Amino acid sequence: MKNGKLLLGILMIGLLASSCYTEVIVEDDFIEESPINTALVLENYDIWYVDINATQGNGEVPFLQRAFTISFDRGVVYANNNLVGIGKTGNGLGVDVGTYGTYSGAVEVDHDVDGLWLLEVYAVNNNTLELYDPSSNTSYVLRGYYRSSFDYDMVFYDNIHYFLQEYQVWEKTYTSEYGALNDFDEENYLQFFSDGGGYFRSSIDGQGIPFSNIQWDYEGDYEVYDVANDASLKTLTLGYDFLGNDYFELYVINDSTIELYHVSSGTVYEFTGRGYKQFLKSGDTGKKRSKVTNPTMNVTRQRNM
């Protein structure tokens, strides 16, 4: 009997000791395990999409807060901080923003702008990681993809409000011949800002002038909407101060061109971005992502593609 109790005690001690290596997250109904071969885990996928809406905590890791994607490649950290050029810059990985070294369950990033960061690494499942910053008690969720299967269009549509802000000015470069006459026919420039929760300006100045010479005629608030049961469609409202609203279906043609379909008139407009604002490892580092949940419209697509 004593031998039996001794054996049970040894087993319990072994179980308690092994539990030191596992963190149980009750609210998410899974166990996060810190991977032993951290480098192998980080380098297992070409691209890690930073799911900013899954962030937990009130602090921030600046280089993760700016990035749409991050990659770990043989000691070099790459990031896509812009939507413009994503999929092409750095062969899809983005720009070189620093270096990294790994420990058991941790990665130390030496960022070119933000300095040294020691982050704990937890495997959530086979293609999802959590990077935890103990200094600010903040966690970032990263979802892994291979370049060949990564849906770059998804990144545009999920973050389209940032895309609208990546150019200083959007210039109208095409108006369809069909469609009813409307006041928006006269507007040739749009400008979108993040401050104020979504502020825009527009101008009727002639096309082709230096954007520093543009005189802004109208202003107001804009809103981007998701569309129920149509993940590839966004809608846009321009709420002019004292002048009512314009409503559009919003399409991304490429990383410098958007299409606005004016639903009430049936007119198609194309706008081309001018004055690209590139967020690299130096220079303008002010852009940071935040949790955004677009309101949803229950409408059906009107544009015949």
Side-chain angles (χ1 to χ4, degrees):
M1 179 65 70
K2 289 182 180 179
N3 290 338
K5 289 183 178 180
L6 178 62
L7 178 60
L8 179 60
I10 293 172
L11 288 173
M12 289 299 294
I13 292 171
L15 287 172
L16 288 172
S18 67
S19 69
C20 294
Y21 297 93
T22 300
E23 178 186 356
V24 180
I25 309 296
V26 177
E27 62 181 5
D28 292 327
D29 295 327
F30 59 73
I31 296 175
E32 293 185 358
E33 295 183 351
S34 188
I36 295 175
N37 193 335
T38 309
L40 182 63
V41 171
L42 292 174
E43 296 167 6
N44 189 45
Y45 286 96
D46 300 324
I47 292 172
W48 295 95
Y49 178 67
V50 182
D51 186 351
I52 205 70
N53 286 336
T55 304
Q56 294 184 2
N58 296 321
E60 67 174 31
V61 178
F63 68 89
L64 290 175
Q65 200 73 30
R66 284 193 295 271
F68 295 102
T69 73
I70 193 165
S71 299
F72 300 90
D73 184 20
R74 294 167 292 182
V76 180
V77 181
Y78 296 89
N80 278 299
N81 295 333
N82 281 87
L83 291 170
V84 175
I86 196 169
K88 296 177 287 188
T89 303
N91 199 23
L93 300 184
V95 296
D96 174 353
V97 296
T99 59
Y100 69 95
T102 58
Y103 306 93
S104 179
V107 59
E108 184 177 63
V109 175
D110 187 0
H111 192 269
D112 292 345
V113 170
D114 301 320
L116 283 172
W117 292 82
L118 183 62
L119 306 173
E120 298 175 9
V121 181
Y122 297 96
V124 177
N125 56 43
N126 64 349
N127 74 327
T128 306
L129 293 181
E130 175 191 342
L131 296 187
Y132 174 69
D133 173 35
S135 66
S136 64
N137 191 29
T138 302
S139 293
Y140 289 83
V141 172
L142 278 56
R143 308 195 188 280
Y145 298 89
Y146 301 113
R147 275 178 286 189
S148 59
S149 59
F150 187 56
D151 188 349
Y152 290 99
D153 290 341
M154 174 272 295
V155 181
F156 271 96
Y157 280 100
D158 279 357
N159 299 278
I160 200 163
H161 45 288
Y162 294 112
F163 179 47
L164 294 176
Q165 299 160 19
E166 284 191 8
Y167 288 98
Q168 294 185 40
V169 173
W170 291 90
E171 180 181 6
K172 186 188 291 179
T173 50
Y174 170 79
T175 302
S176 63
E177 295 182 359
Y178 53 85
L181 294 175
N182 68 93
D183 290 338
F184 193 75
D185 288 338
E186 305 299 321
E187 297 181 47
N188 291 320
Y189 298 97
L190 291 171
Q191 193 172 49
F192 297 94
F193 302 90
S194 59
D195 53 308
Y199 165 71
F200 83 97
R201 300 193 296 186
S202 67
S203 172
I204 61 174
D205 282 354
Q207 293 166 275
I209 66 173
F211 56 76
S212 58
N213 294 341
I214 295 172
Q215 300 296 312
W216 299 103
D217 302 291
Y218 308 107
E219 62 183 32
D221 296 323
Y222 76 93
E223 186 82 72
V224 175
Y225 293 83
D226 294 335
V227 174
N229 304 313
D230 196 340
S232 65
L233 176 63
K234 302 294 180 182
T235 60
L236 172 70
T237 60
L238 301 180
Y240 295 85
D241 291 347
F242 313 113
L243 295 174
N245 293 352
D246 269 322
Y247 166 67
F248 305 88
E249 292 179 354
L250 172 60
Y251 299 94
V252 177
I253 306 303
N254 53 47
D255 65 3
S256 64
T257 309
I258 58 173
E259 179 181 280
L260 299 181
Y261 176 64
H262 194 253
V263 175
S264 63
S265 70
T267 308
V268 175
Y269 306 97
E270 286 186 7
F271 283 80
T272 300
R274 294 176 58 189
Y276 168 44
K277 296 182 287 186
Q278 190 171 24
F279 301 102
L280 292 170
K281 60 186 179 183
S282 60
D284 186 355
T285 58
K287 186 273 296 177
K288 293 181 181 178
R289 298 171 69 203
S290 58
K291 293 183 179 182
V292 174
T293 302
N294 296 328
T296 300
M297 276 191 175
N298 289 303
V299 295
T300 56
R301 187 188 300 254
Q302 300 298 307
R303 169 90 163 101
N304 294 320
M305 305 296 287

